[in-house]
Amino acid sequence: MSDILLSIKDLCVDFNTGDGIVRAVNNISFDVPAGKTVGLVGESGSGKSVTSLAAMGLIPNPPGKITGGEILFKGKDLVKASEEEMRRIRGKEISMIFQEPMTSLNPVFRVGDQVSEILMLHMGMTKKQAWARSVELLDQVGIPDPQRSALKYPHEMSGGQKQRVVIAIAIACEPKLLIADEPTTALDVTIQKQVLDLMFDLQEKYKMGLLFITHDLGVIADIADDVVVMYRSNLVEQGDTKKIFTAAGHPYTKGLLACRPALDKNPKRLLTVSDFMDESGAEISLDESKTKKVDKVYNPSEEKNPVLLEVNNLHVDFPIKGGVFGRTVDQFKAVNSVSFKLRKGMTLGLVGESGCGKTTLGRSILRLIEPTQGQVLYNGIDLTKLDKKQLRDMRSKVQIIFQDPYSSLNPRMTIEEVLLEPMLLHNIGGSKEERISKAKWLMEKVGLKSNQLSRYPHEFSGGQRQRICIARALAVNPEFIICDESVSALDVSVQAQVLNLLLDLQAEFGLTYIFISHDLSVVNFISDEVAVMKSGEVVELDTASNVYLKPEKQYTKDLLSAIPKGIPKALLAEQNL
């Protein structure tokens, strides 16, 4: 039996808000043994991160306050510890990896100095000793050329490298407990696999206890020994990973397991949490008919479908400046000689690692980024030849849904103003009353309520804001929509709802999509064809089933092998036996 490193008992955390007291964590209890990994899962707002911040003594007071329970670390109750005691424990005994590395790192200090700081503070090292140890740690976490990389600022490193720096800081003092709060959510599958492998190599080396927080059960299956499931501030289920994945008891857990797309299965539709439980949390009978796929207006298997979009030899180059006078010394080929055809009513998935050119390609098709050369034929019209007025008129037919729904919505505009603005621009609707009527219809169509039009973006959840962005795209009656990482920031259950919505809208209106994502499981579910990009080029293009079942290129095989299997380690061991 492993020693219990962290024991949370009957923990309650309240926040004082304008609407009164809100309980963020309600009477939860679980343990983290030394040398073991406990996965803490649940949707945004379930209380996962608040629980971890409570363990670190980082609940902002006011407005937050621990109102009950104990947090025992090696037998000491951290709830009663003074701030001075917590400062000695944080970083040395308990470390935390935060979700967004850019906000965790100070932009005005070199990364080597930021690793050195914790070593000088907690280990009593001199500046010279700390710098030498910092370079060793950067090398240990797989940063290339660590001696030179230590001199870099955070903005000079990729997302994966910044996350590795945060890990180096977290393990610098060889802590007994490591808390990882969504450390791989925004990373590509290949970088995610590298970061996860690194974390568990370090865990084994230092015999750390690990509390891993995520909403991705595929990752949890690969890494966790035990799972704790939170829903609306409550702990609804816990147990060893094999038990949770094979015999989940709570309907919320069943919903989380069902809504994640899997590579080895291609369901007609994704099930969601609402298929397993009602708003009150009571379990409901699963309606198997919901997995039936709606019929598309256009049959993607038929070659008779007209070609809507044809991209020929498209290039996008960015100048590389250098010298004293900032002259152009070279060209970076972000998109290099890309060609493909997309038939009406079909979905083309664009996949690849960050920096491969997916988003640049999508934006250059719409001329949000000007192509360097090549053709973009939309219904036979070359979009690269249109003047500003012609292009503005064309935008009613071609739309884009961006990755971050909050930054793409004006926080000062009500949802009614957000939806009416494109209608006014493109002269849709004969009067304001007609446009408001259409806005109400759009809200209902994307699963929201028409009486919410007077609200502002901040009054909606992330998934609801993404639905509003979809409604805005539909407001101008488009034929073609580019979805640029439009579900990557969403919880898996909300992601499933949005994916189902996109399929419903495609079936009803005959929409054509380009779906950009680094999540190959999602792309496999929604796409008819898949294009794999690497270094600005399309290296593989085929039907979704062929790309996933019979990949030709080694790069595609590497991407597929990096995807979490979603099968608990105990089950894999049994299968090997």
Side-chain angles (χ1 to χ4, degrees):
M1 176 70 73
S2 300
D3 294 331
I4 300 300
L5 191 61
L6 179 74
S7 182
I8 293 178
K9 297 183 177 181
D10 303 320
L11 180 66
C12 295
V13 181
D14 292 347
F15 282 83
N16 193 358
T17 72
D19 296 324
I21 301 296
V22 174
R23 175 145 292 185
V25 174
N26 184 34
N27 203 38
I28 71 167
S29 302
F30 66 89
D31 298 329
V32 179
K36 297 290 184 180
T37 300
V38 174
L40 184 58
V41 301
E43 295 173 295
S44 296
S46 62
K48 308 186 303 296
S49 294
V50 173
T51 301
S52 66
L53 291 172
M56 292 288 289
L58 294 175
I59 296 292
N61 184 10
K65 185 178 182 181
I66 296 174
T67 54
E70 298 176 317
I71 303 174
L72 301 177
F73 176 69
K74 298 196 297 186
K76 179 178 180 59
D77 188 359
L78 301 184
V79 174
K80 297 177 181 178
S82 66
E83 180 56 32
E84 185 179 347
E85 289 175 308
M86 287 305 302
R87 276 199 299 268
R88 287 198 295 266
I89 292 171
R90 278 195 298 262
K92 182 173 175 60
E93 297 282 337
I94 306 175
S95 278
M96 189 166 182
I97 303 169
F98 295 94
Q99 179 173 356
E100 178 46 64
M102 195 62 219
T103 57
S104 304
L105 297 172
N106 193 319
V108 301
F109 290 107
R110 292 182 170 89
V111 297
D113 291 323
Q114 297 189 55
V115 181
S116 297
E117 181 183 25
I118 194 169
L119 292 167
M120 291 187 288
L121 179 65
H122 287 298
M123 307 299 284
M125 293 185 180
T126 64
K127 189 171 183 180
K128 184 177 180 180
Q129 290 172 328
W131 184 267
R133 178 59 181 152
S134 297
V135 173
E136 290 177 7
L137 285 164
L138 293 177
D139 183 46
Q140 190 175 345
V141 298
I143 298 288
D145 194 357
Q147 191 75 49
R148 184 176 297 177
S149 294
L151 298 170
K152 290 183 177 180
Y153 292 92
H155 73 271
E156 298 178 285
M157 309 184 91
S158 69
Q161 289 175 335
K162 286 196 286 278
Q163 193 63 286
R164 288 167 183 267
V165 173
V166 172
I167 293 173
I169 294 171
I171 58 102
C173 300
E174 301 179 16
K176 299 299 182 184
L177 174 67
L178 182 62
I179 300 173
D181 187 5
E182 302 271 11
T184 61
T185 297
L187 302 181
D188 300 323
V189 286
T190 49
I191 304 299
Q192 172 180 270
K193 186 175 188 304
Q194 293 170 16
V195 169
L196 290 175
D197 288 346
L198 167 65
M199 288 174 60
F200 293 105
D201 287 344
L202 295 171
Q203 181 191 26
E204 187 173 343
K205 179 177 180 179
Y206 296 119
K207 306 301 180 188
M208 295 184 296
L210 178 58
L211 178 61
F212 195 97
I213 301 169
T214 184
H215 62 254
D216 191 339
L217 281 162
V219 171
I220 287 295
D222 279 13
I223 65 172
D225 300 294
D226 298 292
V227 180
V228 176
V229 184
M230 290 190 69
Y231 175 66
R232 294 182 179 176
S233 310
N234 295 290
L235 192 158
V236 296
E237 190 163 8
Q238 64 178 313
D240 67 77
T241 308
K242 178 183 174 183
K243 175 190 171 185
I244 294 294
F245 274 75
T246 57
H250 197 276
Y252 178 69
T253 311
K254 294 176 183 177
L256 285 182
L257 290 167
C259 65
R260 170 73 179 160
L263 280 178
D264 59 341
K265 300 173 184 176
N266 198 1
K268 304 300 183 183
R269 289 173 64 76
L270 293 174
L271 293 169
T272 65
V273 170
S274 61
D275 292 317
F276 293 83
M277 59 189 290
D278 60 22
E279 280 295 316
S280 69
E283 186 166 8
I284 58 177
S285 299
L286 179 62
D287 183 0
E288 298 290 350
S289 66
K290 291 187 177 181
T291 61
K292 293 181 179 178
K293 201 169 208 171
V294 290
D295 294 328
K296 288 190 175 185
V297 173
Y298 292 89
N299 187 343
S301 64
E302 291 185 7
E303 290 294 317
K304 296 176 184 177
N305 290 4
V307 173
L308 183 70
L309 180 72
E310 183 175 351
V311 175
N312 295 318
N313 194 35
L314 193 67
H315 290 252
V316 180
D317 299 339
F318 293 114
I320 298 174
K321 304 289 185 179
V324 177
F325 300 103
R327 295 192 179 98
T328 299
V329 295
D330 202 353
Q331 296 287 336
F332 172 69
K333 296 185 178 297
V335 176
N336 187 20
S337 191
V338 169
S339 300
F340 63 85
K341 293 180 181 180
L342 178 58
R343 295 183 178 275
K344 190 170 178 62
M346 294 181 66
T347 300
L348 172 68
L350 274 182
V351 299
E353 298 173 291
S354 293
C356 70
K358 307 185 300 293
T359 294
T360 303
L361 173 58
R363 296 190 179 199
S364 63
I365 288 171
L366 300 184
R367 280 185 59 189
L368 298 176
I369 295 174
E370 290 292 340
T372 307
Q373 70 179 74
Q375 282 185 317
V376 180
L377 299 175
Y378 182 83
N379 266 335
I381 300 171
D382 190 350
L383 299 185
T384 65
K385 304 297 185 186
L386 301 183
D387 61 29
K388 288 185 178 180
K389 182 181 184 306
Q390 291 170 322
L391 187 60
R392 188 167 59 247
D393 293 339
M394 184 62 73
R395 295 220 188 275
S396 65
K397 296 182 175 64
V398 294
Q399 286 287 302
I400 186 168
I401 303 169
F402 295 99
Q403 178 174 357
D404 183 358
Y406 194 74
S407 62
S408 61
L409 294 172
N410 190 327
R412 296 183 179 182
M413 294 174 68
T414 66
I415 304 310
E416 180 180 303
E417 292 170 331
V418 166
L419 297 182
L420 262 57
E421 184 182 41
M423 295 187 217
L424 283 167
L425 186 63
H426 292 283
N427 297 316
I428 293 172
S431 65
K432 184 176 181 179
E433 289 70 26
E434 283 185 32
R435 288 188 280 270
I436 291 175
S437 177
K438 181 168 184 177
K440 291 179 178 179
W441 175 81
L442 285 168
M443 290 289 280
E444 300 288 345
K445 184 58 65 177
V446 298
L448 299 174
K449 295 177 181 178
S450 58
N451 61 8
Q452 296 175 316
L453 282 172
S454 60
R455 296 186 183 181
Y456 288 86
H458 72 271
E459 298 179 83
F460 294 88
S461 69
Q464 289 173 325
R465 287 196 291 266
Q466 196 61 283
R467 288 169 181 265
I468 292 166
C469 290
I470 294 171
R472 180 178 59 182
L474 293 173
V476 293
N477 306 320
E479 302 170 331
F480 169 61
I481 300 176
I482 293 179
C483 305
D484 186 7
E485 299 275 13
S486 54
V487 298
S488 62
L490 304 179
D491 295 324
V492 285
S493 56
V494 179
Q495 173 183 275
Q497 294 170 11
V498 173
L499 290 172
N500 287 339
L501 171 63
L502 290 171
L503 288 178
D504 290 341
L505 296 170
Q506 184 177 47
E508 184 172 354
F509 301 111
L511 297 173
T512 305
Y513 296 134
I514 286 182
F515 194 91
I516 301 170
S517 180
H518 63 258
D519 190 327
L520 285 86
S521 301
V522 168
V523 171
N524 178 47
F525 167 72
I526 200 170
S527 301
D528 301 301
E529 293 185 320
V530 174
V532 182
M533 290 193 69
K534 179 185 180 184
S535 303
E537 300 179 355
V538 173
V539 296
E540 191 157 356
L541 174 61
D542 207 334
T543 63
S545 58
N546 283 346
V547 167
Y548 288 94
L549 297 176
K550 297 179 289 185
E552 294 183 357
K553 303 296 183 181
Q554 186 58 46
Y555 177 70
T556 309
K557 295 176 182 176
D558 292 341
L559 286 179
L560 293 169
S561 66
I563 299 173
K565 294 181 177 65
I567 303 173
K569 292 181 288 185
L571 280 179
L572 285 175
E574 290 176 8
Q575 291 171 6
N576 291 335
L577 290 174

